[in-house]
Amino acid sequence: MAVAESAPAVAGPIDWLRGPRFDLSLIVGVLALALVLGAAGCASPALFAAVIAVDFWLLAYPHALSTFTRIAFDREGARAHAFLLFGLPPLVFAATAGAVALGGVLALNTIYFFWQSWHYTRQSYGIARAYHRSAGSDPAGDRLSDLVVFAWPSWGLLHRAHQQPAEFYGGPIWLPPVPKPLVVLAGALALGALALWTARHLRALAAGRPRSTGHALFVLSHVVITAVSYLVVREITLGWLFINIWHNAQYLLFVWAMNVRRFRGGVDPRRAFLSRLCQPEQALRYALVCLALSSGFYFALGQATGRMSWEVLPFVLVCHQTVNFHHYIVDAMIWRSRAQRA
């Protein structure tokens, strides 16, 4: 999620996006959820299937739907983003179908694996910068944190490529061959950046000038989930499960927080439904609306595409990945937009 340019500045040296309770849920709670559910999924094929079902229906589908609370839940937003809502999906579908026609499921799995890795990393980068803004500092000046955020997934991807897995999520995948020395070099860079970053925080703490607590905890959570997903868990699909759960749950909470901040002045008559849904006391109702709408959409999508033949084209896979890829593009665009600043 590219949120680096969208999170509004908050006056004063505030460590949290919303407060310790929310932020610890966003950082520590989400990480714990991902580790526990991911570990359960690794225990047996039956548990993996159960965890995947929970992840998809309760987290992944609502997380994709929550993107559209930023642009499609009011008339003005829908008009302003008409191309993203109506013009872009056919183009993404055509490109996705074209990729499958040319390269089969292997091409689709490969594109998805690399694109989702970038998408997840950009989300971490954006949220880390949001913490800088909330603390009243300039995020552009913290290149060391940026290096940590990007170096660890880069190490993980190179490690996966060196492993040369034949399958990902039940289908073939292609990863470029990577020599072991390059993986070692990437690991040294990531570990070195983390060591320098940690030393900087410890020096600031010893001097009585601790840096943002929220930012530090968030970056550490990013390092932990990346290490587990790409380096510790040997099998590529099981490793993906950990970071997918983390990403989905985190995105849901973050978008809700940004929507609450957007409507912090109270109910907006021009956006009555959305602004009422995004008041602080309406968190459960917001989650239930996202769950209901996303469940209805994906159930209908499954019913419609499930009747199509797989003989000519894996139509179900193309449709589901079209939704994924469309979400990635929309997400990257709206969080950079000045119009979406709260």
Side-chain angles (χ1 to χ4, degrees), residues 86-111:
F86 307 109
L88 183 61
L91 299 178
V92 177
F93 177 83
T96 306
V100 174
L102 293 174
V105 176
L106 182 145
L108 202 56
N109 268 358
T110 301
I111 293 169

Side-chain angles (χ1 to χ4, degrees), residues 3-14:
V3 300
E5 300 303 324
S6 69
V10 177
I14 301 171

Side-chain angles (χ1 to χ4, degrees), residues 167-250:
E167 289 190 347
F168 170 60
Y169 205 70
I173 187 173
W174 177 85
L175 298 178
V178 171
K180 184 66 174 179
L182 184 56
V183 179
V184 173
L185 180 61
L189 175 63
L191 289 168
L194 180 62
L196 290 173
W197 180 87
T198 303
R200 186 181 68 179
H201 277 272
L202 292 176
R203 286 197 303 269
L205 187 63
R209 294 179 286 101
R211 305 175 75 90
S212 169
T213 303
H215 176 267
L217 289 175
F218 177 78
V219 171
L220 287 175
S221 74
H222 166 80
V223 168
V224 170
I225 199 67
T226 302
V228 169
S229 300
Y230 291 99
L231 302 170
V232 175
V233 179
R234 180 166 180 80
E235 206 280 321
I236 186 173
T237 305
L238 294 177
W240 161 85
L241 179 62
F242 284 84
I243 200 165
N244 184 258
I245 294 169
W246 182 76
H247 163 78
N248 293 335
Q250 182 185 88

Side-chain angles (χ1 to χ4, degrees), residues 14-49:
I14 301 171
D15 281 343
W16 308 105
L17 294 178
R18 284 196 55 76
R21 182 178 178 181
F22 172 84
D23 287 61
L24 290 175
S25 297
L26 176 73
I27 300 168
V28 180
V30 166
L31 178 62
L33 178 70
L35 294 177
V36 170
L37 288 182
C42 291
S44 73
L47 281 174
F48 176 82

Side-chain angles (χ1 to χ4, degrees), residues 120-208:
Y120 297 174
T121 302
R122 280 291 299 179
Q123 175 165 304
S124 290
Y125 170 76
I127 294 178
R129 289 200 155 200
Y131 270 106
H132 269 309
R133 284 191 170 85
S134 289
S137 58
D138 180 10
D142 191 2
R143 298 302 183 189
L144 183 56
S145 292
D146 293 346
L147 179 59
V148 172
V149 167
F150 284 102
W152 280 78
S154 299
W155 180 19
L157 286 174
L158 291 172
H159 173 71
R160 284 293 185 219
H162 176 70
Q163 286 182 313
Q164 286 294 291
E167 289 190 347
F168 170 60
Y169 205 70
I173 187 173
W174 177 85
L175 298 178
V178 171
K180 184 66 174 179
L182 184 56
V183 179
V184 173
L185 180 61
L189 175 63
L191 289 168
L194 180 62
L196 290 173
W197 180 87
T198 303
R200 186 181 68 179
H201 277 272
L202 292 176
R203 286 197 303 269
L205 187 63

